[in-house]
Amino acid sequence: MDSQARYEIVLKDAITGQRITDSLSITFTGDAALKAADGTSLNGKTITTTDGLVGLGATFSASAKDFSVLAGNRTLGWLETGTRVVGDTSVTGDRTLELRLVNTNKAASVNASPESVAMRVATVTTTASGALAGPVTLVTAPKTVTNAEGMAETIGSASLALKAGTTGRAADGTVAAAGPLTVSATLFSNASVGALLAFPGGFAASVTGAPASLLNGTTASDVAFITGGFAQFSVTDSTGKAIRNFDQPINVSIDLPKTSLDINGNPVLAGSEYPVWSYDDATGKWKFERMGTVSEKSPVDPNNYTVAFSTNHLSAWNLDFATPSCTAQINLTGRPVNDERQLAVEVSGVAGQRFGRIGYMTDSQLSIYRAPVNVKVNVKVRDQGVVVGRASNVLLCTAANQPNPLTVPMTLLPIAVGTVIRVDTSESCANGSQKRALPTFAWVNVNNAGNWRVGYTLPVAGAPVARKDFRTVVAGTSTAYAYNPRNSRYESQSVTVTANNTATAAFNFIMSNCSTGPTGGSE
């Protein structure tokens, strides 16, 4: 593949962290040039996956430096979400992205989880004309969670109220189909890193409709968000179609912690104004809606304020300040020579000015694109889920385009550096003839522990295979996946490797028509 960078997207349940194997639709937007494994363009296209895995190649330029990925399936309860990827011409190699979705069929598990996410769901009836037969009011229940600093925090609520007789329409203008409507309100408090990583669109935001005064000296495509909290409000008809627009005002509210700070680091108080934004999941952009007023709750909540407003459309909404940004750099120390284990680096804004990022790396340097200016962060480095390095209350950007390179020392877990899982990919006729290398996307779920490693197989000189070696993996039994661009499916194999040895998962895909020979890979 001739793309400068290759991305594998893993679609996860935001609550369980497990890969989603239900059918999900994936839409690609943005300026960067995107390609599928077979070399065809993905720009502006929608595809379907049942693997929870999607591979693409991306090429960035000075004028085409971002793309967005949007995913969901309301028929199965998965609400839409997305992420924006910002890059430049220095971005190369194999990279992992995560999209974290919530499911309205799993409200009980959402509310029982340790994440700072809460959900309420109701099924309501409509009249023959599609109007609500009665009023609907949903309020998520508060719960106490462990926040990003490891302290107990009681999160607030999100609420949604629709009047009887309200008629809703889909984005194409059609009235909600006859039958029951599923109405949901989901609060994502900014307390936990897991909830922050489910933020639609990501914190490297692209915004529309905002006055210059809210951009704080930056441009609409270059802002970084810090959030007081966000919520997803949805109405889904009996066919699984999202009902977006309504003929009567809808009352909604989102709570935010009383520890919240404004763009200048000053406490947010009752009577303050807080920018309110809505997410356009057709474009991956956030639209400025209004300035919301911060109010005390009734009765007064010692932990949370609320921002209430009315709207005629539903989507994800958030309370965010837009800040200038820079490309920050995190340097890790303590990685042995030839060690290529994958580490997860979690970055979150400190209490009061929250945002969240996660990066997966097999080297020792991580770039954080669109990191917010003058916002202190906490950094955790995880090796196989265990925290092996951290930095607390530090700046990534001292001013616009002025990064503050951060060094994080690590003490890694013992592992055999020479342990390798090899993935070979090829194609041939059914009788084994005309075998040749087939470059494609490969994944390994290391030790079947949810530690996903991604790569792109490349041709081996003098051999009829393409190959990717995943080095410095945990010994044991893992699952390898390879994408067959001929039928748009992933295949999997179990592979067991012992310490300081190499085990191979060999995938040979059968060509459907051998009369004209192999059709070639996406080299």
Side-chain angles (χ1 to χ4, degrees):
M1 177 176 284
D2 57 5
S3 300
Q4 71 181 59
R6 294 170 293 272
Y7 292 85
E8 277 279 14
I9 304 159
V10 57
L11 302 155
K12 290 185 176 181
D13 185 318
I15 303 304
T16 67
Q18 298 300 307
R19 179 169 55 102
I20 299 169
T21 54
D22 289 340
S23 177
L24 295 175
S25 63
I26 317 294
T27 300
F28 305 93
T29 63
D31 296 325
L34 307 179
K35 290 185 178 180
D38 62 2
T40 59
S41 173
L42 285 173
N43 290 88
K45 292 185 178 179
T46 298
I47 65 172
T48 300
T49 178
T50 57
D51 302 294
L53 304 173
V54 178
L56 62 90
T59 299
F60 302 99
S61 69
S63 59
K65 54 187 179 181
D66 75 290
F67 66 90
S68 291
V69 183
L70 308 158
N73 183 344
R74 290 200 175 202
T75 301
L76 299 178
W78 296 106
L79 297 181
E80 300 87 355
T81 195
T83 191
R84 182 184 184 225
V85 178
V86 179
D88 58 31
T89 54
S90 69
V91 178
T92 59
D94 300 322
R95 295 168 179 264
T96 302
L97 295 176
E98 286 185 4
L99 265 69
R100 302 190 181 195
L101 291 77
V102 294
N103 192 308
T104 56
N105 296 326
K106 302 181 179 183
S109 63
V110 171
N111 294 326
S113 78
E115 295 295 350
S116 58
V117 183
M119 179 184 287
R120 282 290 301 275
V121 181
T123 301
V124 299
T125 59
T126 58
T127 65
S129 64
L132 292 180
V136 180
T137 300
L138 297 177
V139 183
T140 65
K143 65 179 179 180
T144 300
V145 301
T146 300
N147 66 19
E149 285 76 31
M151 306 294 290
E153 181 173 335
T154 301
I155 67 172
S157 301
S159 71
L160 168 66
L162 299 94
K163 299 176 183 177
T166 300
T167 298
R169 296 178 180 272
D172 61 8
T174 57
V175 175
L181 298 179
T182 300
V183 183
S184 67
T186 308
L187 172 75
F188 297 82
S189 163
N190 64 12
S192 72
V193 175
L196 290 168
L197 294 178
F199 186 82
F203 288 92
S206 180
V207 304
T208 61
S213 59
L214 286 183
L215 298 181
N216 295 296
T218 189
T219 66
S221 62
D222 292 336
V223 303
F225 268 162
I226 56 173
T227 185
F230 52 106
Q232 199 160 10
F233 302 107
S234 74
V235 176
T236 307
D237 73 9
S238 58
T239 69
K241 183 176 290 186
I243 305 305
R244 303 289 192 189
N245 304 304
F246 300 84
D247 65 352
Q248 297 189 54
I250 302 166
N251 294 321
V252 298
S253 69
I254 304 172
D255 288 358
L256 74 159
K258 287 188 172 179
T259 55
S260 298
L261 305 176
D262 67 15
I263 191 67
N264 298 311
N266 300 315
V268 172
L269 303 173
S272 302
E273 290 191 322
Y274 212 115
V276 179
W277 311 75
S278 66
Y279 187 61
D280 184 345
D281 51 32
T283 65
K285 296 179 182 291
W286 284 96
K287 177 185 177 183
F288 173 69
E289 292 282 351
R290 60 178 57 83
M291 295 301 294
T293 300
V294 178
S295 303
E296 290 280 11
K297 301 185 70 175
S298 181
V300 173
D301 182 335
N303 302 296
N304 295 281
Y305 295 121
T306 195
V307 176
F309 51 93
S310 63
T311 178
N312 286 92
H313 70 95
L314 293 181
S315 64
W317 291 72
N318 77 68
L319 310 175
D320 275 330
F321 288 113
T323 79
S325 63
C326 80
T327 299
Q329 183 175 305
I330 297 175
N331 300 313
L332 307 180
T333 60
R335 185 188 285 275
V337 175
N338 298 324
D339 188 304
E340 296 181 13
R341 77 184 72 191
Q342 181 164 275
L343 302 173
V345 183
E346 297 175 356
V347 181
S348 60
V350 298
Q353 293 185 308
R354 296 286 198 199
F355 75 99
R357 303 283 183 85
I358 189 168
Y360 294 94
M361 52 196 300
T362 55
D363 55 14
S364 297
Q365 189 176 90
L366 177 67
S367 294
I368 305 291
Y369 292 89
R370 301 289 181 266
V373 164
N374 284 327
V375 173
K376 291 185 176 181
V377 303
N378 297 318
V379 179
K380 291 182 180 179
V381 183
R382 296 184 185 271
D383 179 3
Q384 304 169 51
V386 177
V387 176
V388 294
R390 67 175 71 223
S392 301
N393 206 34
V394 293
L395 282 174
L396 288 178
C397 299
T398 56
N401 298 317
Q402 292 183 19
N404 181 42
L406 178 65
T407 297
V408 180
M410 306 180 299
T411 302
L412 299 181
L413 301 179
I415 191 173
V417 172
T419 311
V420 178
I421 293 178
R422 172 172 292 168
V423 178
D424 285 349
T425 55
S426 59
E427 64 179 356
S428 73
C429 298
N431 62 4
S433 65
Q434 300 189 55
K435 185 176 180 179
R436 56 160 286 163
L438 180 64
T440 189
F441 291 99
W443 280 76
V444 173
N445 183 3
V446 178
N447 222 22
N448 291 327
N451 180 13
W452 293 93
R453 293 280 297 272
V454 58
Y456 193 81
T457 62
L458 296 176
V460 178
V465 298
R467 175 170 294 165
K468 173 65 180 181
D469 283 345
F470 297 92
R471 303 181 185 277
T472 320
V473 299
V474 179
T477 300
S478 301
T479 302
Y481 297 78
Y483 181 75
N484 183 352
R486 306 299 176 234
N487 62 11
S488 303
R489 293 182 180 178
Y490 279 90
E491 294 186 11
S492 65
Q493 291 183 23
S494 179
V495 56
T496 300
V497 61
T498 55
N500 287 314
N501 285 288
T502 298
T504 300
F507 295 86
N508 183 63
F509 302 120
I510 303 303
M511 293 181 290
S512 60
N513 183 356
C514 277
S515 61
T516 57
T519 55
S522 52
E523 300 179 39

